[in-house]
Amino acid sequence: MISAIVVSYRSAAAARAALASVRDDARRAGIAAETVCVDNSDDPAEARALEGACDRLVVPAGNLGYAGGLNAGIAASRGDVLLLSNPDVVFLAGAVAALAAAVAG
């Protein structure tokens, strides 16, 4: 399974689009995937805007920075393949399968 981890800082709309694109592309390719979003904004409205957009929403007590957010997302993920992404990345058709194939070697 692929775990797609997106760290968001006041970018809920972009993160929702990124998460939807990876989920949709994985489904089209028949790849098991989970989406994890880390909300680094420390803003309850941002967290509410991300609810339902991912399988797991991680809301740390404060801003962990990008690397810290990724680490928090990794800790919450279950996949054996990790896809780490910024919130403004939209995955085009075939991207998830191509990335999974590259990791498989």
Side-chain angles (χ1 to χ4, degrees):
M1 174 171 50
I2 291 179
S3 292
I5 301 163
V6 173
V7 177
S8 178
Y9 179 80
R10 300 193 187 283
S11 53
R16 289 181 71 87
L19 293 159
S21 72
V22 72
R23 192 173 40 251
D24 293 345
D25 192 38
R27 184 178 58 248
R28 281 191 300 268
I31 297 172
E34 72 170 347
T35 53
V36 179
C37 187
V38 180
D39 174 24
N40 254 349
S41 70
D42 201 24
D43 179 352
E46 281 286 311
R48 281 191 304 277
L50 290 165
E51 288 175 356
C54 54
D55 297 307
R56 286 191 182 73
L57 176 60
V58 178
V59 183
N63 186 342
L64 302 176
Y66 185 69
L70 288 175
N71 286 331
I74 291 166
S77 68
R78 299 175 301 152
D80 51 340
V81 174
L82 304 176
L83 193 161
L84 310 177
S85 180
N86 287 327
D88 59 348
V89 174
V90 174
F91 294 85
L92 301 177
V96 173
L99 290 169
V103 170

